[in-house]
Amino acid sequence: MDGSGLGADLAHRARRGPGPPRPDPRPTFVGRIVFASLCDKLFDIGPELEIVPQLATGWEWTDDNKGLIIRVRPGVKFQDGEPLDAAAVKFSIERHLMMPGSNRKAEISAVTRVETIDDHTVKLALSAPFAPLLAQLTDRAGMVVSPKAAQAAGENFGSHPVCAGPYKFVERVAQDRIVLERFADYWDKDKIKLDRIVFLPIPDSTVRLANLRSGGLDMIERTAATDLGTVRQDPHLRLASITGLGYNGITVNVANGERSKTPLGQDARVRQALELSIDRTALNQVVFNGEYQPGNQWVAPSNPYYIKEFPVPGRDISKAKALLAAAGAPNPVIELMAVNNPEALQTAQVVQAMASESGFDIRIRTTEFASSLQLATKGDFEAYSIGWSGRTDPDGNIYNFVACKAPPGLNPGRYCNSDVDGQLDAARSVATPDERLADYRNVAKQTLEDLPIVYLYHQKWLWAFSNKLTGFAPLPDGLIRPQGLQLQ
């Protein structure tokens, strides 16, 4: 069977950079969806965010949690026919750590050495205990690539990636499609039923849904909340949903070049006034039909790592005006960069209208997604409406977005506070949730005062698909795993 329309929201996929060809910090939620079919990882997550083996079969912490032994699954082949063994795992992890421009390096920077114990056993030596490591290996840092293919292609490896997933790369036509075909020698091939998957970029949610209803597509992901009524009423469609791990918010340029030299960038009181101007619950109702979850931290209020001591603040126009007056900026002009998709623009417009009541003059700069990332990294922005798809471990939602040494693509505002860095590092080095929560409380106390990011909401992943498609199991990371998918 042919799953030719699977995952066809891709509204942001083509926009969010090149998909599988190159690792990327922020543009690759859409790339991660493609990677879920293309590249298996050492570990994956289960429905309750538990760590489950994938290319690994098990693990063991050693050396006072400064060593991780991973047992590699035997009998696995890469899509070029080469065997996947401990040496390949060592190559891939070292590649993540040493490749120029690698965005995985920061995720696994605690790894100082990779040793092969035997053909199917690897040991990672760490500079210090690193609680998020297993969770990091459930994502791109845990993907294992073919050493032979990577070495032969060099910098061009991204144009034809070779991994050990259920589907092999066929082609990518920019702004048009990404095509994958079933890999016959996949180690878990009995779970793979579709011969071919084509990912299509369709930016307009109305057009996506129309194509799904007409049979041109089999599935769309990130269905617009405003379309749920139509989906529920169509007997030929099904709907799946789950609360995600990420967030959407407004990142402020506080220290990245000349464009940070604004009242918003230089005075936390102005940022606090902006936050107090926004009614997150009303925004959720207007833009998302109340389907999403308002929030003010890097994890949702339902997450066990949410700091309940700092709940979502209510809207307070009087206090916002007082803060602006105290900052000597009663009518600040702000350029808000927003991606040119309907929900992002509507969110920006709602923020614009709400903030105007406090005295803000927000001017929306509509930008194509990949371009917005480049502009942000260069510091060519004042405020940026941007989201993060989320990670299993809370470290993946906060560290690289506020740490002093974070990649510019993830911390484009260049926020830096040494006390926050110390607490983030402490949270990485302890194992129990209670210990980590204490450190994250200190992080929240400082960052919610400084507000380098004004968090707005946590989205719910919404998939609509043909009732002919069976076997789909939603997980909180929002990825579409092809195992078990079948067209009747």
Side-chain angles (χ1 to χ4, degrees):
M1 293 186 180
D2 178 31
S4 58
L6 181 62
D9 164 17
L10 277 180
H12 311 298
R13 289 186 202 170
R15 293 177 172 283
R16 292 193 172 193
R22 66 176 174 87
D24 240 325
R26 207 189 282 262
T28 53
F29 171 64
V30 294
R32 291 173 65 215
I33 294 176
V34 179
F35 276 132
S37 294
L38 182 66
C39 299
D40 277 4
K41 304 150 298 189
L42 289 168
F43 304 98
D44 202 358
I45 63 168
E48 302 301 322
L49 301 182
E50 69 274 19
I51 306 295
V52 296
Q54 193 171 54
L55 292 176
T57 59
W59 70 91
E60 177 186 355
W61 290 102
T62 64
D63 305 331
D64 295 325
N65 291 329
K66 291 196 291 185
L68 178 65
I69 294 175
I70 300 173
R71 293 181 288 279
V72 181
R73 187 177 298 279
V76 177
K77 290 184 180 180
F78 289 109
Q79 292 144 357
D80 60 358
E82 292 293 305
L84 188 152
D85 55 13
V89 173
K90 173 181 168 67
F91 172 86
S92 293
I93 293 177
E94 289 180 340
R95 181 173 181 266
H96 290 318
L97 290 169
M98 295 185 294
M99 186 172 62
S102 169
N103 290 297
R104 309 285 76 79
K105 180 178 180 179
E107 298 171 353
I108 56 173
S109 58
V111 177
T112 58
R113 189 173 67 259
V114 186
E115 306 170 6
T116 54
I117 296 175
D118 58 39
D119 286 349
H120 292 94
T121 310
V122 173
K123 181 178 179 180
L124 309 185
L126 312 181
S127 57
F130 184 60
L133 182 58
L134 283 176
Q136 298 288 23
L137 296 177
T138 67
D139 199 4
R140 285 158 295 181
M143 292 177 186
V144 184
V145 302
S146 166
K148 180 179 178 180
Q151 289 170 332
E155 293 183 357
N156 296 319
F157 179 68
S159 65
H160 197 118
V162 178
C163 300
Y167 289 86
K168 58 185 179 181
F169 182 76
V170 176
E171 67 172 345
R172 171 185 176 268
V173 179
Q175 308 298 323
D176 184 75
R177 65 186 180 273
I178 295 172
V179 181
L180 308 180
E181 290 183 350
R182 181 162 60 178
F183 175 43
D185 290 330
Y186 179 56
W187 66 271
D188 202 14
K189 61 184 177 182
D190 290 345
K191 293 181 180 177
I192 305 302
K193 309 296 182 182
L194 303 176
D195 291 328
R196 180 182 175 92
I197 298 177
V198 180
F199 297 91
L200 303 173
I202 304 176
D204 190 289
S205 60
T206 302
V207 175
R208 289 200 304 272
L209 182 57
N211 275 270
L212 177 67
R213 298 186 74 188
S214 69
L217 302 174
D218 301 309
M219 173 181 260
I220 60 175
E221 53 90 17
R222 279 177 296 174
T223 306
T226 50
D227 289 336
L228 294 186
T230 301
V231 174
R232 288 170 175 142
Q233 293 170 11
D234 192 323
H236 302 292
L237 300 182
R238 299 174 64 193
L239 180 69
S241 66
I242 196 168
T243 300
L245 301 172
Y247 62 81
N248 278 69
I250 299 172
T251 294
V252 178
N253 186 350
V254 297
N256 190 355
E258 286 301 312
R259 300 209 63 191
S260 69
K261 305 297 194 296
T262 66
L264 183 72
Q266 298 303 303
D267 197 322
R269 292 171 295 184
V270 179
R271 300 191 289 274
Q272 292 164 11
L274 177 61
E275 178 180 50
L276 289 170
S277 303
I278 300 169
D279 184 333
R280 291 170 170 88
T281 299
L283 186 152
N284 180 37
Q285 290 291 340
V286 170
V287 183
F288 306 109
N289 281 3
E291 294 285 344
Y292 289 1
Q293 187 172 14
N296 67 321
Q297 297 177 31
W298 56 92
V299 293
S302 55
N303 190 293
Y305 282 99
Y306 182 82
I307 311 300
K308 296 179 181 179
E309 182 181 341
F310 306 116
V312 177
R315 191 181 192 217
D316 192 332
I317 297 298
S318 297
K319 187 174 180 180
K321 288 181 176 180
L323 284 166
L324 290 179
N331 300 106
V333 178
I334 298 172
E335 182 186 85
L336 175 61
M337 184 163 62
V339 180
N340 58 350
N341 71 65
E343 289 185 347
L345 288 178
Q346 193 175 3
T347 297
Q349 289 162 359
V350 170
V351 169
Q352 179 187 51
M354 289 180 172
S356 67
E357 296 182 31
S358 299
F360 286 93
D361 179 1
I362 293 182
R363 302 173 184 182
I364 299 171
R365 177 188 187 183
T366 305
T367 312
E368 187 271 334
F369 189 85
S371 299
S372 74
L373 291 169
Q374 295 169 1
L375 291 168
T377 301
K378 291 190 298 184
D380 188 5
F381 78 105
E382 294 175 14
Y384 183 17
S385 179
I386 184 67
W388 177 245
S389 55
R391 297 295 181 268
T392 305
D393 190 278
D395 179 88
N397 277 15
I398 184 64
Y399 194 99
N400 280 327
F401 301 91
V402 299
C404 295
K405 295 182 180 180
L410 293 175
N411 182 4
R414 305 289 172 85
Y415 174 78
C416 176
N417 182 295
S418 59
D419 291 336
V420 169
D421 273 19
Q423 294 297 323
L424 289 171
D425 288 337
R428 284 181 156 189
S429 66
V430 295
T432 70
D434 286 346
E435 290 175 304
R436 300 185 76 196
L437 196 62
D439 294 318
Y440 286 133
R441 182 219 172 263
N442 294 328
V443 171
K445 184 177 186 300
Q446 188 64 56
T447 57
L448 294 181
E449 180 179 327
D450 294 342
L451 286 177
I453 301 172
V454 179
Y455 302 98
L456 297 178
Y457 63 86
H458 306 273
Q459 76 181 85
K460 183 181 291 184
W461 299 121
L462 303 167
W463 298 270
F465 49 96
S466 166
N467 59 9
K468 295 179 182 179
L469 183 68
T470 62
F472 176 62
L475 289 177
D477 61 6
L479 305 185
I480 300 169
R481 291 161 174 81
Q483 288 83 356
L485 290 179
Q486 189 168 1
L487 282 169
Q488 304 294 335

